[in-house]
Amino acid sequence: MQIIVAAVGRAKHKPEAELIAHYLKACRWDITIKEIPDAPSNLSAEARRAREAEGIAKLLTPQSRLFVMDSTGQSLTSPQFAKLIQDAQKTAVKHAVFAIGGQDGLDASLITQAHKVIAFGAATWPHQLLRAMLMEQIYRAY
């Protein structure tokens, strides 16, 4: 199974990017980070979310299982998070896609089609930091 982290925006050379690289190197699973371009800032928040959702949707296939990261989702313990990945492996999911929205969050179309909506607490996290937190949890599951 391939794990795809579909994240809106570009990772910059910051401590978060170094941490992500560390977890990618330490984890032996097939993990790919796909960066979805930020939608233009002159669009409304709704239009930006819709445009960014199109980029994420292009990564999905019928053999994909979509997990979205959103503050409205369920907070999971690390063992519960690991079980999500384990269950996907057991059911022959080809791609486990973890979607992280941009500055305006994720479009409702992605949230409604997700297999699971996951929150790392009730707080809103910067999407670059959320990538690092997600990678740490994937590594921990490994």
Side-chain angles (χ1 to χ4, degrees), residues 106-117:
L106 287 167
D107 192 68
S109 65
L110 289 174
I111 294 171
T112 58
Q113 69 177 301
H115 178 77
K116 187 77 158 177
V117 181

Side-chain angles (χ1 to χ4, degrees), residues 30-85:
D30 181 8
I31 303 170
T32 303
I33 296 181
K34 298 282 187 175
E35 292 183 333
I36 310 303
D38 289 303
S41 60
N42 64 339
L43 297 176
S44 69
E46 184 177 318
R48 282 193 303 270
R49 283 191 300 269
R51 170 103 39 106
E52 293 162 356
E54 289 173 11
I56 293 170
K58 288 178 184 177
L59 301 173
L60 302 175
T61 69
Q63 297 83 27
S64 297
R65 184 168 291 174
L66 176 63
F67 302 97
V68 299
M69 307 303 298
D70 189 85
S71 62
T72 65
Q74 180 183 2
S75 292
L76 302 174
T77 64
S78 293
Q80 289 170 325
F81 183 87
K83 187 169 180 347
L84 285 179
I85 295 175

Side-chain angles (χ1 to χ4, degrees), residues 82-103:
K83 187 169 180 347
L84 285 179
I85 295 175
Q86 183 181 48
D87 289 347
Q89 290 172 322
K90 285 181 181 177
T91 57
V93 168
K94 189 169 177 95
H95 304 105
V97 179
F98 290 87
I100 300 172
Q103 67 182 2

